[in-house]
């Protein structure tokens, strides 16, 4: 809805155009995304439950994994339920306030995934390169700090973008070519000058990616060096297997970033944003429980105990 102001027209709601404007595809999209949403919620929920109920998994690595699972189920919950409701009710509207709130939390949960992957890489580095000092280094105080800092930083990033977005005007159109309120499409839709917003998005985006990635790279370079020094083949395999799940998730996450945002493509910016959003907020959160449960012996055992207990 357009709302007249003193010198220009502002808007009180946005229209989310979704992934497709074809009526015949809506039912397929509804079934597909409902299925992915339920799988993600059950998978991540089971991981959190298994870690919480099995005292054997009360270690730093699984504390960080529980946080990652919580961030993943929260991430998909910021966008998919609203999208499913819009398809079902055939309504595309979302209020301005709801849109800004949705954008804020979508930023929080994607950014925290990034930071947690860095923290988990550091945990594996300490476990493999300094096994005798692991419990001393990864003391409860440090673990709490490494859990809290990603949440604080991700909220700080989201708050910065939100505060910079609030003064912007949306006067020409309220149709957002996306299935949820994402920052980049909102900036393109605004009729205000968005140079500062885009500069902050670039600087913060690069910082959020490069700092955790540098930590991951540093950790795995030292892990590979430490493992190659081992003379026993079984010891090498065991060391690599402890970080195999994490490495798979890292490759999925950063592979998506490179594939969607850095590889030259003729894809339209709106389509690129939608592809990136689906991969980050839907596909990755759905895949993570499978990666961690299928490749991790302890996790498989805890899930088995949880299911049999039920």
């Amino acid at each position: 809805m357009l709302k007249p102001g003193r010198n220009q027209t502002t808007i009180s709601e946005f229209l989310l155009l979704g992934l497709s404007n074809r009526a015949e595809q809506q039912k397929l999209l509804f079934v597909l995304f409902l299925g992915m949403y339920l799988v993600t919620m059950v998978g991540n929920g089971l991981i959190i439950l298994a870690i919480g109920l099995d005292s054997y998994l009360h270690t730093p690595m699984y504390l960080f994994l529980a946080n990652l699972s919580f961030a993943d189920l929260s991430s998909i919950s910021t966008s998919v339920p609203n999208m499913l409701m819009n398809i079902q009710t055939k309504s595309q509207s979302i209020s301005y306030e709801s849109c800004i709130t949705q954008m804020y939390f979508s930023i929080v949960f994607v950014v925290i995934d990034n930071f947690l992957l860095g923290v988990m890489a550091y945990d594996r580095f300490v476990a493999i390169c300094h096994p005798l000092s692991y419990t001393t280094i990864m003391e409860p105080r440090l673990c709490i700090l490494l859990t809290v800092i990603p949440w604080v930083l991700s909220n700080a990033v989201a708050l910065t973008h939100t505060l910079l977005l609030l003064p912007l005007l949306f006067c020409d159109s309220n149709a957002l070519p996306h299935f949820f309120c994402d920052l980049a499409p909102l900036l393109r839709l605004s009729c205000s000058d968005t140079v500062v917003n885009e500069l902050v998005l670039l600087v913060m985006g690069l910082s959020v990616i490069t700092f955790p990635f540098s930590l991951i790279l540093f950790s795995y370079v030292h892990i590979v060096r430490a493992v190659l020094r081992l003379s026993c083949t079984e010891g090498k395999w065991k060391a690599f297997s402890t970080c195999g799940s994490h490495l798979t998730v890292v490759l999925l996450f950063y592979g998506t970033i490179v594939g969607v945002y850095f590889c030259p493509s003729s894809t339209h910016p709106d389509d690129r944003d939608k592809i990136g959003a689906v991969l980050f907020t839907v596909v990755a959160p759905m895949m993570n429980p499978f990666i961690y449960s299928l490749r991790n012996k302890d996790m498989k055992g805890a899930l088995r105990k949880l299911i049999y207990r039920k």
Side-chain angles (χ1 to χ4, degrees), residues 219-270:
S219 300
Y220 275 104
V221 165
H222 283 79
I223 286 168
V224 170
R225 279 182 183 170
V227 171
L228 290 177
R229 285 196 206 107
L230 297 172
S231 54
C232 175
T233 309
E234 191 182 335
K236 287 179 182 179
W237 172 248
K238 190 178 178 183
F240 275 129
S241 67
T242 60
C243 47
S245 301
H246 176 259
L247 195 55
T248 307
V249 173
V250 166
L251 291 172
L252 177 67
F253 189 87
Y254 288 99
T256 300
I257 291 173
V258 172
V260 175
Y261 297 108
F262 289 98
C263 287
S265 172
S266 58
T267 309
H268 191 273
D270 291 335

Side-chain angles (χ1 to χ4, degrees), residues 39 53 98 107 122 221:
V39 168
L53 295 173
S98 297
I107 294 170
Y122 175 72
V221 165

Side-chain angles (χ1 to χ4, degrees), residues 118 121 210-224 250:
T210 53
F211 178 71
F213 185 72
S214 301
L215 184 58
I216 291 165
L217 201 60
F218 166 84
S219 300
Y220 275 104
V221 165
H222 283 79
I223 286 168
V224 170
V250 166

